[in-house]
Amino acid sequence: KAEWTSATVLGGQSAVERTDIFKRFLRICDELLALHNYNTLFSIVSGLLSHAVARLSFALPEACARRFDKLQALINPLGNR
């Protein structure tokens, strides 16, 4: 799922389309969190954190950037104590 996620984001033809796809995945992650589906949530966030996606210059709105930061913190293995 992580590879599919990053390939889907990278498949966007323009920066605007890639940003829209990224935001769509954030909405999916919100639903997965509400459903307590942590396995798929981890896979999708891992795909969004991949090097190929991370090096793209997104212009994410502040609210989306905060949501993504929270998802990163949630799947961070260092916080699992």
Side-chain angles (χ1 to χ4, degrees), residues 5-79:
T5 302
S6 59
T8 302
V9 173
L10 295 172
Q13 298 300 316
S14 66
V16 172
E17 188 177 350
R18 288 189 292 268
T19 302
D20 288 342
I21 294 168
F22 193 94
K23 291 191 307 190
R24 189 175 312 134
F25 275 118
L26 288 180
R27 287 192 300 273
I28 292 168
C29 287
D30 289 340
E31 291 297 322
L32 292 170
L33 187 58
L35 294 170
H36 303 285
N37 187 340
Y38 301 111
N39 188 34
T40 306
L41 175 69
F42 184 87
S43 295
I44 290 176
V45 174
S46 295
L48 295 175
L49 287 171
S50 73
H51 178 70
V53 174
R55 67 187 174 97
L56 293 175
S57 57
F58 288 121
L60 286 178
E62 184 65 31
C64 291
R66 281 195 308 269
R67 278 179 25 215
F68 188 55
D69 289 342
K70 288 180 183 179
L71 290 170
Q72 287 180 44
L74 182 67
I75 69 163
N76 186 352
L78 297 177

